[in-house]
Amino acid sequence: MSETQVIPVKDKIASSAHVDAQSYEEMYRRSIEDPEGFWAEHGKRIDWMKPYSQIKDVSFGPDDVHIRWFADGTTNAAVNCIDRHLPAKKDQPAIIWEGDDPGEDKTITYGELHRQVCRMANILKARGVTRGDRVTIYMPMIPEAAYAMLACARIGAIHSVVFGGFSPDALAGRIEDCESTFVITADEGVRGGRKIPLKANTDKALTKCPGVRHVLVVRRTGGDIDWHEDRDLWFHEEFEKVGDDCPAEEMGAEDPLFILYTSGSTGKPKGVLHTTGGYLVFTSMTHEYVFDYKDGEVYWCTADVGWVTGHSYILYGPLANGATTLIFEGVPNYPDASRHWQVCDKHKVNIYYTAPTAIRALMREGEEPVKKTDRKSLRLLGTVGEPINPEAWMWYYKTVGEERCPVVDTWWQTETGGIMISPLPGAIDLKPGSATKPFFGVKPEIVDTNGNVQEGACQGNLCIADSWPGQMRTVYGDHERFIQTYFSTYPGKYFSGDGCRRDEDGYYWITGRVDDVINVSGHRMGTAEVESALVAHKKVAEAAVVGYPHDLKGQGIYAYVTLVAGEEPSEELRKELVQWVRQEIGPIASPDLIQWAPSLPKTRSGKIMRRILRKIAENDYSNLGDTSTLADPAVVDDLVENRMNR
Ligand code: WT7
């Protein structure tokens, strides 16, 4: 028997939910035993221009990796998110926008969304953007970010959204990699009362990107910006020059919808490519079932559109379902720690979806900021992005949800497109800290390091044995890297990079990354990226970066830095390096701790022994394992002696 607490599904919830325990088991079994039949049926949940006759065409290798779903069908994502709802929902809110300032908000009906998206699409078209072109979107959390994404989808352009917190360099790298010719941004963003110079960052980035012809600028703050007459366009001016009518492109199910860059264990960020039909089927279906979404409900996902959560569960999934989706410009603690709950009360939010790091930060503020709000509209709570500790889970469940709202802990990745392992609120008993059971069509396997599939209760590396419609199709421009990264470690399976335990009830418990990727406040960072930013500094000879447990962030960034000969460590230099990394990548990559390392522990062949560095950073230096293969074992003593995380 497991000692973990189990929170059974309440009868009242099961009876009104999309699926109860029995129908989950039946549907799940069918989805695995007869994927063709299952998806042939559920693919119909979106509108197709030309219906599909093919369902699944997949090979996970070894020679050839290809993934195609509904391949001969045609559709358009914007039509599914907007036009098809117009007959019934023209005047229903599609987007509720809540500004950074509590006094500012705006409601956009489906009818208005249609008009805005068509106009934005016509602006792009008028400036030469066509089907297949890449458009980079570098925006704050304002409705125009959604218009921009949907406008691309409408005309068949591929959007690449870059998180507004990334630096000019990071933006430039992402523009260059996919050879974008068009950028959409705002003059400035506003978060927590502070301005973010998006246009100035874009200007800096574009000094390195000669291929960009136009920058479309949305006026958010009216702040001072530089203007390049031949290149820059004001959105509000262009808006007046175009019409409301924009026929949607007929896209193949496998035509690209978007690229989204994400960090891996090596090299520069990968352009994860998602296509149209399968992605929309999977995100809309998971949104409906996991959140048990019912027509007319107000749904709020607190992510930024710069991350996949924003793509799948602020925009595409909810809008494909005709939901009202809330877009919040601000942060949880501005003007005070009650803000999120005030927003819930103000807009009568029914479903609230956030990250464990936000929950932990709010939990630290105590109950008072929560209790002074009503929250009676809330019906369901969700989390995503990193493992949630049972203590934070219980606080969320009891204090925020008053034991009325089920908590769905949803495990998935940029690569998976949508939710893979999660409770279904009417069907699956909850265990705090566990993502529980697989969604329909998802076949998890836990393998040991030799690739042997483990049965029953076990622990190991999490793979997915077969394809699902929302799966990424390739790394943009580098299919070989796609195969190498995801299908070569355990041939024939998709490898997630996560460790996982399965308990005696068949529940999955994600234990975190097993590769050199760290998860800082739910944001994914490749340690290699932070390292290359550090060594780009002229005083740094060598750097190794690992994660360590951090109370609020989940993981913090711990950097070991070796200076070039003749440079002296100092507090100033430490600050300078933190600042440097912020500038190179963005604030989310700031090292939390920097340890000066006279040298790094290496094998005789010169490979850095990260296992040891991880242990020291975790303050678990008593058991460093076998150090006999080290070129110079004394290096370790110095590192332990001067460790930063005591
Ligand atoms: C990595 C993916 C999925 C959207 C946000 C992050 C971790 C994600 C959970 C969860 C434990 C989780 C994994 C995964 N992760 N959700 N519910 N429990 N870990 O997307 O940036 O692609 O990161 O986030 O380690 O591999 P991402």
Side-chain angles (χ1 to χ4, degrees), residues 262 308-309 383-387 409-415 496 498 510 513 519 522 524:
T262 195
V308 75
T309 312
T383 78
V384 59
E386 48 177 321
D409 172 359
T410 63
W411 176 83
W412 58 295
Q413 311 178 291
T414 305
E415 292 88 337
S496 67
D498 279 326
I510 309 298
R513 301 289 303 199
N519 194 323
R524 198 163 139 177

PDB file of all heavy atoms in Angstrom, residues 262 308-309 383-387 409-415 496 498 510 513 519 522 524, ligand 1:
ATOM      1  N   THR A 262      13.314  25.912 -28.033  1.00  0.00           N
ATOM      2  CA  THR A 262      13.448  25.418 -26.666  1.00  0.00           C
ATOM      3  C   THR A 262      14.849  24.895 -26.441  1.00  0.00           C
ATOM      4  O   THR A 262      15.526  24.472 -27.378  1.00  0.00           O
ATOM      5  CB  THR A 262      12.385  24.341 -26.346  1.00  0.00           C
ATOM      6  OG1 THR A 262      12.341  24.147 -24.933  1.00  0.00           O
ATOM      7  CG2 THR A 262      12.700  23.011 -27.003  1.00  0.00           C
ATOM      8  N   VAL A 308       5.295  27.316 -24.731  1.00  0.00           N
ATOM      9  CA  VAL A 308       4.327  26.437 -25.396  1.00  0.00           C
ATOM     10  C   VAL A 308       2.987  26.412 -24.650  1.00  0.00           C
ATOM     11  O   VAL A 308       1.925  26.283 -25.260  1.00  0.00           O
ATOM     12  CB  VAL A 308       4.885  25.008 -25.573  1.00  0.00           C
ATOM     13  CG1 VAL A 308       4.893  24.253 -24.255  1.00  0.00           C
ATOM     14  CG2 VAL A 308       4.100  24.250 -26.635  1.00  0.00           C
ATOM     15  N   THR A 309       3.030  26.584 -23.331  1.00  0.00           N
ATOM     16  CA  THR A 309       1.774  26.592 -22.573  1.00  0.00           C
ATOM     17  C   THR A 309       0.865  27.705 -23.081  1.00  0.00           C
ATOM     18  O   THR A 309      -0.345  27.528 -23.200  1.00  0.00           O
ATOM     19  CB  THR A 309       2.056  26.774 -21.069  1.00  0.00           C
ATOM     20  OG1 THR A 309       3.093  25.860 -20.702  1.00  0.00           O
ATOM     21  CG2 THR A 309       0.832  26.473 -20.239  1.00  0.00           C
ATOM     22  N   THR A 383      -1.766  22.782 -12.670  1.00  0.00           N
ATOM     23  CA  THR A 383      -0.363  23.202 -12.619  1.00  0.00           C
ATOM     24  C   THR A 383       0.407  22.578 -13.776  1.00  0.00           C
ATOM     25  O   THR A 383       0.030  21.534 -14.292  1.00  0.00           O
ATOM     26  CB  THR A 383       0.379  22.798 -11.320  1.00  0.00           C
ATOM     27  OG1 THR A 383       0.721  21.416 -11.388  1.00  0.00           O
ATOM     28  CG2 THR A 383      -0.447  23.053 -10.096  1.00  0.00           C
ATOM     29  N   VAL A 384       1.503  23.228 -14.122  1.00  0.00           N
ATOM     30  CA  VAL A 384       2.349  22.746 -15.215  1.00  0.00           C
ATOM     31  C   VAL A 384       3.737  23.356 -15.125  1.00  0.00           C
ATOM     32  O   VAL A 384       3.904  24.449 -14.593  1.00  0.00           O
ATOM     33  CB  VAL A 384       1.757  23.124 -16.588  1.00  0.00           C
ATOM     34  CG1 VAL A 384       1.606  24.621 -16.749  1.00  0.00           C
ATOM     35  CG2 VAL A 384       2.603  22.558 -17.729  1.00  0.00           C
ATOM     36  N   GLY A 385       4.711  22.642 -15.634  1.00  0.00           N
ATOM     37  CA  GLY A 385       6.025  23.226 -15.847  1.00  0.00           C
ATOM     38  C   GLY A 385       7.153  22.571 -15.090  1.00  0.00           C
ATOM     39  O   GLY A 385       8.293  22.598 -15.520  1.00  0.00           O
ATOM     40  N   GLU A 386       6.845  22.015 -13.938  1.00  0.00           N
ATOM     41  CA  GLU A 386       7.884  21.400 -13.114  1.00  0.00           C
ATOM     42  C   GLU A 386       7.180  20.531 -12.081  1.00  0.00           C
ATOM     43  O   GLU A 386       5.967  20.667 -11.886  1.00  0.00           O
ATOM     44  CB  GLU A 386       8.723  22.483 -12.425  1.00  0.00           C
ATOM     45  CG  GLU A 386       7.819  23.503 -11.787  1.00  0.00           C
ATOM     46  CD  GLU A 386       8.531  24.592 -11.007  1.00  0.00           C
ATOM     47  OE1 GLU A 386       9.522  24.298 -10.326  1.00  0.00           O
ATOM     48  OE2 GLU A 386       8.043  25.727 -11.050  1.00  0.00           O
ATOM     49  N   PRO A 387       7.936  19.659 -11.435  1.00  0.00           N
ATOM     50  CA  PRO A 387       7.299  18.855 -10.392  1.00  0.00           C
ATOM     51  C   PRO A 387       6.755  19.771  -9.291  1.00  0.00           C
ATOM     52  O   PRO A 387       7.364  20.780  -8.966  1.00  0.00           O
ATOM     53  CB  PRO A 387       8.455  17.998  -9.861  1.00  0.00           C
ATOM     54  CG  PRO A 387       9.479  17.977 -10.962  1.00  0.00           C
ATOM     55  CD  PRO A 387       9.355  19.313 -11.629  1.00  0.00           C
ATOM     56  N   ASP A 409      -2.388  18.180 -12.164  1.00  0.00           N
ATOM     57  CA  ASP A 409      -0.949  18.368 -12.354  1.00  0.00           C
ATOM     58  C   ASP A 409      -0.627  17.778 -13.721  1.00  0.00           C
ATOM     59  O   ASP A 409      -0.663  16.568 -13.906  1.00  0.00           O
ATOM     60  CB  ASP A 409      -0.208  17.635 -11.226  1.00  0.00           C
ATOM     61  CG  ASP A 409       1.300  17.606 -11.417  1.00  0.00           C
ATOM     62  OD1 ASP A 409       1.807  18.128 -12.427  1.00  0.00           O
ATOM     63  OD2 ASP A 409       1.982  17.036 -10.532  1.00  0.00           O
ATOM     64  N   THR A 410      -0.344  18.655 -14.683  1.00  0.00           N
ATOM     65  CA  THR A 410      -0.247  18.224 -16.078  1.00  0.00           C
ATOM     66  C   THR A 410       1.201  18.135 -16.532  1.00  0.00           C
ATOM     67  O   THR A 410       1.908  19.135 -16.563  1.00  0.00           O
ATOM     68  CB  THR A 410      -0.991  19.217 -16.996  1.00  0.00           C
ATOM     69  OG1 THR A 410      -0.351  20.497 -16.919  1.00  0.00           O
ATOM     70  CG2 THR A 410      -2.450  19.368 -16.563  1.00  0.00           C
ATOM     71  N   TRP A 411       1.643  16.943 -16.892  1.00  0.00           N
ATOM     72  CA  TRP A 411       3.000  16.787 -17.423  1.00  0.00           C
ATOM     73  C   TRP A 411       2.979  16.790 -18.939  1.00  0.00           C
ATOM     74  O   TRP A 411       2.212  16.050 -19.562  1.00  0.00           O
ATOM     75  CB  TRP A 411       3.646  15.481 -16.953  1.00  0.00           C
ATOM     76  CG  TRP A 411       5.004  15.317 -17.594  1.00  0.00           C
ATOM     77  CD1 TRP A 411       6.176  15.861 -17.188  1.00  0.00           C
ATOM     78  CD2 TRP A 411       5.307  14.580 -18.800  1.00  0.00           C
ATOM     79  NE1 TRP A 411       7.197  15.535 -18.063  1.00  0.00           N
ATOM     80  CE2 TRP A 411       6.689  14.733 -19.059  1.00  0.00           C
ATOM     81  CE3 TRP A 411       4.547  13.814 -19.689  1.00  0.00           C
ATOM     82  CZ2 TRP A 411       7.332  14.151 -20.149  1.00  0.00           C
ATOM     83  CZ3 TRP A 411       5.188  13.235 -20.788  1.00  0.00           C
ATOM     84  CH2 TRP A 411       6.565  13.405 -21.003  1.00  0.00           C
ATOM     85  N   TRP A 412       3.809  17.643 -19.510  1.00  0.00           N
ATOM     86  CA  TRP A 412       4.013  17.638 -20.960  1.00  0.00           C
ATOM     87  C   TRP A 412       5.216  18.495 -21.280  1.00  0.00           C
ATOM     88  O   TRP A 412       5.927  18.937 -20.371  1.00  0.00           O
ATOM     89  CB  TRP A 412       2.757  18.082 -21.709  1.00  0.00           C
ATOM     90  CG  TRP A 412       2.211  19.449 -21.372  1.00  0.00           C
ATOM     91  CD1 TRP A 412       1.690  19.839 -20.171  1.00  0.00           C
ATOM     92  CD2 TRP A 412       2.126  20.576 -22.242  1.00  0.00           C
ATOM     93  NE1 TRP A 412       1.273  21.146 -20.255  1.00  0.00           N
ATOM     94  CE2 TRP A 412       1.519  21.618 -21.512  1.00  0.00           C
ATOM     95  CE3 TRP A 412       2.472  20.793 -23.577  1.00  0.00           C
ATOM     96  CZ2 TRP A 412       1.279  22.886 -22.075  1.00  0.00           C
ATOM     97  CZ3 TRP A 412       2.225  22.045 -24.136  1.00  0.00           C
ATOM     98  CH2 TRP A 412       1.637  23.074 -23.386  1.00  0.00           C
ATOM     99  N   GLN A 413       5.477  18.728 -22.543  1.00  0.00           N
ATOM    100  CA  GLN A 413       6.693  19.436 -22.970  1.00  0.00           C
ATOM    101  C   GLN A 413       6.420  20.236 -24.243  1.00  0.00           C
ATOM    102  O   GLN A 413       5.449  19.943 -24.952  1.00  0.00           O
ATOM    103  CB  GLN A 413       7.793  18.420 -23.320  1.00  0.00           C
ATOM    104  CG  GLN A 413       8.026  17.362 -22.281  1.00  0.00           C
ATOM    105  CD  GLN A 413       9.089  16.373 -22.734  1.00  0.00           C
ATOM    106  OE1 GLN A 413       8.870  15.605 -23.654  1.00  0.00           O
ATOM    107  NE2 GLN A 413      10.238  16.403 -22.075  1.00  0.00           N
ATOM    108  N   THR A 414       7.299  21.176 -24.539  1.00  0.00           N
ATOM    109  CA  THR A 414       7.201  21.895 -25.806  1.00  0.00           C
ATOM    110  C   THR A 414       7.057  20.893 -26.959  1.00  0.00           C
ATOM    111  O   THR A 414       6.258  21.080 -27.870  1.00  0.00           O
ATOM    112  CB  THR A 414       8.474  22.746 -26.023  1.00  0.00           C
ATOM    113  OG1 THR A 414       8.657  23.589 -24.879  1.00  0.00           O
ATOM    114  CG2 THR A 414       8.358  23.607 -27.260  1.00  0.00           C
ATOM    115  N   GLU A 415       7.819  19.832 -26.863  1.00  0.00           N
ATOM    116  CA  GLU A 415       7.856  18.830 -27.925  1.00  0.00           C
ATOM    117  C   GLU A 415       6.560  18.053 -28.063  1.00  0.00           C
ATOM    118  O   GLU A 415       6.239  17.551 -29.143  1.00  0.00           O
ATOM    119  CB  GLU A 415       8.973  17.812 -27.648  1.00  0.00           C
ATOM    120  CG  GLU A 415      10.389  18.365 -27.751  1.00  0.00           C
ATOM    121  CD  GLU A 415      10.897  18.962 -26.429  1.00  0.00           C
ATOM    122  OE1 GLU A 415      10.067  19.355 -25.575  1.00  0.00           O
ATOM    123  OE2 GLU A 415      12.123  19.029 -26.271  1.00  0.00           O
ATOM    124  N   SER A 496      11.835  11.454 -23.485  1.00  0.00           N
ATOM    125  CA  SER A 496      11.423  12.779 -23.003  1.00  0.00           C
ATOM    126  C   SER A 496      12.547  13.571 -22.348  1.00  0.00           C
ATOM    127  O   SER A 496      12.448  14.785 -22.217  1.00  0.00           O
ATOM    128  CB  SER A 496      10.302  12.600 -21.974  1.00  0.00           C
ATOM    129  OG  SER A 496      10.819  11.957 -20.813  1.00  0.00           O
ATOM    130  N   ASP A 498      13.102  13.133 -19.215  1.00  0.00           N
ATOM    131  CA  ASP A 498      12.684  13.169 -17.811  1.00  0.00           C
ATOM    132  C   ASP A 498      12.838  11.812 -17.140  1.00  0.00           C
ATOM    133  O   ASP A 498      12.670  10.769 -17.768  1.00  0.00           O
ATOM    134  CB  ASP A 498      11.204  13.573 -17.696  1.00  0.00           C
ATOM    135  CG  ASP A 498      11.009  15.071 -17.790  1.00  0.00           C
ATOM    136  OD1 ASP A 498      11.891  15.814 -17.315  1.00  0.00           O
ATOM    137  OD2 ASP A 498       9.980  15.498 -18.338  1.00  0.00           O
ATOM    138  N   ILE A 510       6.791  12.362 -11.980  1.00  0.00           N
ATOM    139  CA  ILE A 510       7.947  12.881 -12.716  1.00  0.00           C
ATOM    140  C   ILE A 510       8.987  13.341 -11.687  1.00  0.00           C
ATOM    141  O   ILE A 510       8.669  14.101 -10.774  1.00  0.00           O
ATOM    142  CB  ILE A 510       7.543  14.085 -13.598  1.00  0.00           C
ATOM    143  CG1 ILE A 510       6.325  13.743 -14.477  1.00  0.00           C
ATOM    144  CG2 ILE A 510       8.720  14.582 -14.418  1.00  0.00           C
ATOM    145  CD1 ILE A 510       6.526  12.635 -15.469  1.00  0.00           C
ATOM    146  N   ARG A 513      14.492  16.335 -14.829  1.00  0.00           N
ATOM    147  CA  ARG A 513      15.296  16.013 -16.004  1.00  0.00           C
ATOM    148  C   ARG A 513      16.455  15.097 -15.644  1.00  0.00           C
ATOM    149  O   ARG A 513      17.046  15.216 -14.575  1.00  0.00           O
ATOM    150  CB  ARG A 513      15.857  17.303 -16.614  1.00  0.00           C
ATOM    151  CG  ARG A 513      14.832  18.323 -17.041  1.00  0.00           C
ATOM    152  CD  ARG A 513      14.034  17.958 -18.239  1.00  0.00           C
ATOM    153  NE  ARG A 513      14.813  17.671 -19.424  1.00  0.00           N
ATOM    154  CZ  ARG A 513      14.306  17.682 -20.671  1.00  0.00           C
ATOM    155  NH1 ARG A 513      13.024  17.984 -20.873  1.00  0.00           N
ATOM    156  NH2 ARG A 513      15.054  17.395 -21.699  1.00  0.00           N
ATOM    157  N   ASN A 519      15.449  23.242 -14.842  1.00  0.00           N
ATOM    158  CA  ASN A 519      14.124  23.839 -14.872  1.00  0.00           C
ATOM    159  C   ASN A 519      14.061  24.908 -13.787  1.00  0.00           C
ATOM    160  O   ASN A 519      13.952  24.612 -12.607  1.00  0.00           O
ATOM    161  CB  ASN A 519      13.099  22.729 -14.632  1.00  0.00           C
ATOM    162  CG  ASN A 519      11.703  23.192 -14.976  1.00  0.00           C
ATOM    163  OD1 ASN A 519      11.344  24.352 -14.730  1.00  0.00           O
ATOM    164  ND2 ASN A 519      10.905  22.302 -15.524  1.00  0.00           N
ATOM    165  N   GLY A 522      10.059  26.845 -13.710  1.00  0.00           N
ATOM    166  CA  GLY A 522       9.242  26.332 -14.806  1.00  0.00           C
ATOM    167  C   GLY A 522       9.776  26.697 -16.183  1.00  0.00           C
ATOM    168  O   GLY A 522       9.174  26.362 -17.185  1.00  0.00           O
ATOM    169  N   ARG A 524      12.733  26.331 -18.984  1.00  0.00           N
ATOM    170  CA  ARG A 524      13.723  25.346 -19.334  1.00  0.00           C
ATOM    171  C   ARG A 524      15.009  26.020 -19.790  1.00  0.00           C
ATOM    172  O   ARG A 524      14.971  26.910 -20.628  1.00  0.00           O
ATOM    173  CB  ARG A 524      13.112  24.563 -20.469  1.00  0.00           C
ATOM    174  CG  ARG A 524      13.720  23.294 -20.732  1.00  0.00           C
ATOM    175  CD  ARG A 524      12.701  22.558 -21.579  1.00  0.00           C
ATOM    176  NE  ARG A 524      13.412  21.863 -22.600  1.00  0.00           N
ATOM    177  CZ  ARG A 524      12.821  21.064 -23.477  1.00  0.00           C
ATOM    178  NH1 ARG A 524      11.520  20.909 -23.459  1.00  0.00           N
ATOM    179  NH2 ARG A 524      13.529  20.439 -24.364  1.00  0.00           N
TER     180      ARG A 524
HETATM  181  C1  WT7 B   1       9.813  20.006 -19.015  1.00  0.00           C
HETATM  182  C2  WT7 B   1       9.268  20.572 -20.283  1.00  0.00           C
HETATM  183  C3  WT7 B   1       4.822  21.740 -20.646  1.00  0.00           C
HETATM  184  C4  WT7 B   1       4.747  23.169 -20.696  1.00  0.00           C
HETATM  185  C5  WT7 B   1       5.692  23.892 -19.814  1.00  0.00           C
HETATM  186  C6  WT7 B   1       7.102  23.390 -19.842  1.00  0.00           C
HETATM  187  C7  WT7 B   1       8.995  19.661 -16.854  1.00  0.00           C
HETATM  188  C8  WT7 B   1       6.537  20.042 -17.215  1.00  0.00           C
HETATM  189  C9  WT7 B   1       5.686  19.028 -15.494  1.00  0.00           C
HETATM  190  C10 WT7 B   1       4.912  18.437 -14.453  1.00  0.00           C
HETATM  191  C11 WT7 B   1       6.901  17.624 -13.545  1.00  0.00           C
HETATM  192  C12 WT7 B   1       7.078  18.868 -15.460  1.00  0.00           C
HETATM  193  C13 WT7 B   1       9.605  18.378 -17.375  1.00  0.00           C
HETATM  194  C14 WT7 B   1       9.534  18.533 -18.874  1.00  0.00           C
HETATM  195  N1  WT7 B   1       7.582  19.521 -16.546  1.00  0.00           N
HETATM  196  N2  WT7 B   1       5.387  19.758 -16.587  1.00  0.00           N
HETATM  197  N3  WT7 B   1       3.579  18.552 -14.398  1.00  0.00           N
HETATM  198  N4  WT7 B   1       5.566  17.740 -13.498  1.00  0.00           N
HETATM  199  N5  WT7 B   1       7.685  18.158 -14.477  1.00  0.00           N
HETATM  200  O1  WT7 B   1       7.495  23.016 -21.132  1.00  0.00           O
HETATM  201  O2  WT7 B   1       9.702  24.199 -21.300  1.00  0.00           O
HETATM  202  O3  WT7 B   1       9.157  22.232 -22.777  1.00  0.00           O
HETATM  203  O4  WT7 B   1       9.609  21.925 -20.334  1.00  0.00           O
HETATM  204  O5  WT7 B   1       9.165  20.608 -17.900  1.00  0.00           O
HETATM  205  O6  WT7 B   1      10.933  18.278 -16.940  1.00  0.00           O
HETATM  206  O7  WT7 B   1      10.484  17.767 -19.566  1.00  0.00           O
HETATM  207  P1  WT7 B   1       9.030  22.880 -21.457  1.00  0.00           P
END
